[in-house]
Structures are given as C-alpha cells and as structure tokens.
Amino acid sequence: MERGSLEAVLFDMDDTPFDSEPLRDVSLDDLAKMSGGTLSTETRRRVVGGSLRDIVRTVHDDLGVEADVEESVANSIPGCSTPWSAATG
C-alpha cells in the first residue's frame, strides 16, 4: 500500500464516522419539548439503538403523551416528507 493511503475507516455503532450521540441528544430534547416535557435519564438509555418509531413511541410513553406515532415521526424531521427509517432502510 502506498505511503499515506487510506487503510481503514472506522464507524461507530450507528454506521457514522463520528460520534453522533450529542446530535441524538439534541434531537431527543427537541422531541420531548415538542411533546411537552423533558426526558428521564432512564428513557435516554432505553432508546439507544432503537428505530425512530420505537424512540418516538418510548418518548411518548415516558411523557404520558397520547399522540399518533406516525405523525410524530413525520414531524420529527423538519423539511422531510419521508420518515427517516423509510429513507434509510
């Protein structure tokens, strides 16, 4: 292999080459605020690695919100008409 050429690329657990957890936390905070509350530390732990629908459902349950999960999923990604989980497979 040539000197200075790329030999490997490391990805974290959600297939991104950077730490996306701080961004996830911002998104979770936004979702909780839109739902009228704040998330518990336990809920933050429970949603790690979950699909967007599962995360929204868990946040709703944690906050005692009775809302349509699909509508919340669609509204959780401003400017995006395709739910994230459908767009990413």
Side-chain angles (χ1 to χ4, degrees), residues 1-49:
M1 193 163 261
E2 290 182 32
R3 183 178 177 172
S5 64
L6 186 64
E7 293 185 27
V9 176
L10 300 177
F11 292 90
D12 73 358
M13 296 300 286
D14 61 357
D15 295 330
T16 59
F18 60 92
D19 181 12
S20 59
E21 290 301 309
L23 296 173
R24 182 188 72 96
D25 284 342
V26 169
S27 297
L28 285 172
D29 287 340
D30 288 349
L31 176 61
K33 285 177 190 172
M34 288 181 350
S35 300
T38 57
L39 292 183
S40 67
T41 301
E42 177 57 30
T43 296
R44 288 180 185 280
R45 288 185 186 129
R46 284 195 338 241
V47 299
V48 171

Side-chain angles (χ1 to χ4, degrees), residues 34-88:
M34 288 181 350
S35 300
T38 57
L39 292 183
S40 67
T41 301
E42 177 57 30
T43 296
R44 288 180 185 280
R45 288 185 186 129
R46 284 195 338 241
V47 299
V48 171
S51 71
L52 183 56
R53 280 178 183 77
D54 289 343
I55 290 170
V56 169
R57 189 174 295 111
T58 301
V59 168
H60 284 180
D61 289 347
D62 181 61
L63 299 176
V65 172
E66 291 188 28
D68 182 79
V69 171
E70 294 304 318
E71 183 177 329
S72 294
V73 166
N75 291 331
S76 68
I77 308 170
C80 181
S81 61
T82 303
W84 180 45
S85 57
T88 60

